[in-house]
Amino acid sequence: MNGLVEFVFEDIAASNVAGMIAAFVPDVMSVSEVTRDGEPLPINWPFDSDALFSVLSSNEDAAVVINVRSLAIGDKSVRNATIRILRYGGVNDVSVLATSTDCKACGINTVDELFRWAKTISERYCVSNFYGGLDPAFDERTQLYSKSGVGPIVAL
């Protein structure tokens, strides 16, 4: 398989999103671009927990996109990934987009490894629901995993 994979974490408290982003992005040097609703933000913005909390606890809908040079998935580092933070109707969702080629290049070889990582992140940051798969990950036929376990696609 080769293509875009999406890892989704749904319904996260605003107070937990900053920690989650810090778990994904090792440092500000890993960030290449940040936008909110299409407008550029400073590269260090994702590391300002007060600014992030302000956006994610407001009554306004918002979309923050963070393009990174390096993203941590467990102890592995995936190159050139994107993090999307969506605030809508009082709910915060975070999704990570990467290519299966970049995942395999850093040594992620099994769906079980991705499931364990997503489950750990979900437990640590009190995520209501999580799943991952070929983009779009909500399509159950092309999921690598969901909250209940490994899905129908069993290899990257």
Side-chain angles (χ1 to χ4, degrees):
M1 176 184 79
N2 187 17
L4 191 61
V5 289
E6 180 181 32
F7 311 115
V8 179
F9 302 90
E10 294 181 328
D11 195 13
I12 309 159
S15 59
N16 288 336
V17 174
M20 180 183 280
I21 300 306
F24 294 157
V25 184
D27 56 49
V28 71
M29 296 302 294
S30 296
V31 178
S32 58
E33 179 183 40
V34 182
T35 62
R36 177 184 175 193
D37 300 325
E39 296 297 319
L41 292 173
I43 294 296
N44 66 340
W45 188 88
F47 300 95
D48 183 343
S49 57
D50 290 337
L52 190 55
F53 182 79
S54 175
V55 168
L56 299 177
S57 60
S58 75
N59 290 327
E60 292 182 35
D61 292 350
V64 175
V65 176
I66 306 166
N67 290 316
V68 297
R69 293 178 187 90
S70 176
L71 179 121
I73 293 184
D75 63 349
K76 311 257 170 71
S77 182
V78 177
R79 295 181 38 180
N80 303 319
T82 297
I83 302 168
R84 289 186 303 204
I85 306 169
L86 300 176
R87 169 111 179 130
Y88 59 95
V91 174
N92 299 307
D93 292 348
V94 174
S95 61
V96 173
L97 296 160
T99 68
S100 59
T101 302
D102 287 335
C103 289
K104 288 187 275 189
C106 76
I108 297 171
N109 296 309
T110 68
V111 172
D112 190 55
E113 183 177 4
L114 289 168
F115 172 71
R116 286 191 316 269
W117 162 74
K119 185 175 180 184
T120 298
I121 290 292
S122 295
E123 290 169 352
R124 184 177 300 151
Y125 299 105
C126 304
V127 174
S128 293
N129 190 33
F130 66 95
Y131 51 91
L134 301 178
D135 185 36
F138 64 80
D139 184 347
E140 292 178 5
R141 295 170 298 144
T142 60
Q143 282 184 344
L144 299 168
Y145 62 83
S146 67
K147 186 175 182 176
S148 60
V150 174
I153 305 291
V154 295
L156 281 178

